[in-house]
Amino acid sequence: MGAVRQVRCDQGTNFIAARNEFQAALNELDKNIEMYLADRQCEFVFNVPQSSHAGGVWERQIRTIRSILKATIDTCPGRLTDSALRTFLYEAMAIVYSRPLTMVNMNDPRADSPLTPNNLLTMKGKVPLPPPGQFPPVDMYTKRTWRLVQSWLEQFWSRWKKEISPQSATKGKKWTKPRRNLQVGDIVLVTDHETPRMQWPLAMVTSANPDDDCLVRQVQVRVGVKSLNRRGCPS
């Protein structure tokens, strides 16, 4: 992946304090933070104070996460304990960090899986599967805290997929320019309501059916698994 070339952040008090701590520590080594990063061809950029629009990419993500968290917790208010809230936030964080960061080389079936924040944070290529079983919305009213949290996580995952998938696939809320139709052999990202949490399966288009206006709105896909042995079974 190579070295980090640029680091951007807003002027939050935690970032300013961290910068000051690094500056003080590096000064003890007779080297300032600018020279340290310059040696590694990395640029550290602070946004202008009180300009959240300068960080539109991550600010939009924060807004999406906050709205989904609020909508999920509001479905059953007054039932959160400290441990349940902590577990829910940890699991929600893992869901958010499982999203694909890029769609580059998706049409190459031999390419690696899309890079996710979890890959960078944990240095692992696989993510743990969610607990087995079904957790319907009715579990939000159960007295068993574990099932309550799992039901909330299912609701969070369902809404997160609906919010993040259009952002990953398009640059706006509607098509503004003509684009190529899906064709046989294209690799697509599958967002199915039966997909387990933190799983973003890829599929290959096997059939494209154009409408009367020659635009493809329906396709047939074949979902595959990369970790297959010679017999075609999961290894």
Side-chain angles (χ1 to χ4, degrees), residues 58-225:
W58 62 78
E59 294 291 347
R60 185 65 184 90
Q61 290 288 331
I62 293 173
R63 179 181 177 183
T64 300
I65 296 169
R66 287 176 59 183
S67 62
I68 297 177
L69 281 174
K70 184 178 185 303
T72 303
I73 295 176
D74 285 348
T75 56
C76 191
R79 299 183 61 85
L80 272 178
T81 62
D82 290 343
S83 58
L85 176 60
R86 190 179 300 111
T87 302
F88 173 70
L89 292 179
Y90 286 156
E91 292 283 352
M93 179 179 64
I95 291 175
V96 171
Y97 287 163
S98 70
R99 71 187 188 279
L101 289 176
T102 176
M103 301 300 172
V104 179
N105 296 330
M106 277 192 58
N107 286 331
D108 185 1
R110 297 169 296 179
D112 294 331
S113 300
L115 192 66
T116 68
N118 275 332
N119 298 143
L120 304 177
L121 294 173
T122 65
M123 302 303 294
K124 296 179 180 179
K126 296 182 179 180
V127 295
L129 291 176
Q134 301 293 328
F135 305 97
V138 69
D139 282 341
M140 289 189 292
Y141 304 96
T142 184
K143 293 183 179 180
R144 291 190 289 179
T145 305
W146 182 76
R147 295 196 65 88
L148 169 66
V149 173
Q150 294 301 320
S151 179
W152 272 337
L153 289 170
E154 291 294 333
Q155 299 297 319
F156 181 88
W157 167 247
S158 177
R159 294 201 53 167
W160 173 252
K161 285 193 303 183
K162 294 178 182 178
E163 293 282 347
I164 197 61
S165 297
Q167 297 180 19
S168 301
T170 64
K171 295 183 179 180
K173 295 185 178 180
K174 61 182 179 180
W175 300 102
T176 57
K177 298 180 181 179
R179 297 177 182 270
R180 181 180 68 84
N181 283 329
L182 287 174
Q183 300 177 359
V184 176
D186 287 349
I187 305 299
V188 296
L189 187 67
V190 179
T191 56
D192 188 12
H193 67 279
E194 295 183 355
T195 303
R197 294 201 305 262
M198 297 186 290
Q199 298 294 315
W200 302 87
L202 300 178
M204 177 180 292
V205 177
T206 59
S207 175
N209 305 314
D211 292 337
D212 296 336
D213 54 1
C214 298
L215 296 178
V216 175
R217 297 183 176 88
Q218 295 181 352
V219 297
Q220 293 182 355
V221 299
R222 182 174 67 241
V223 180
V225 180

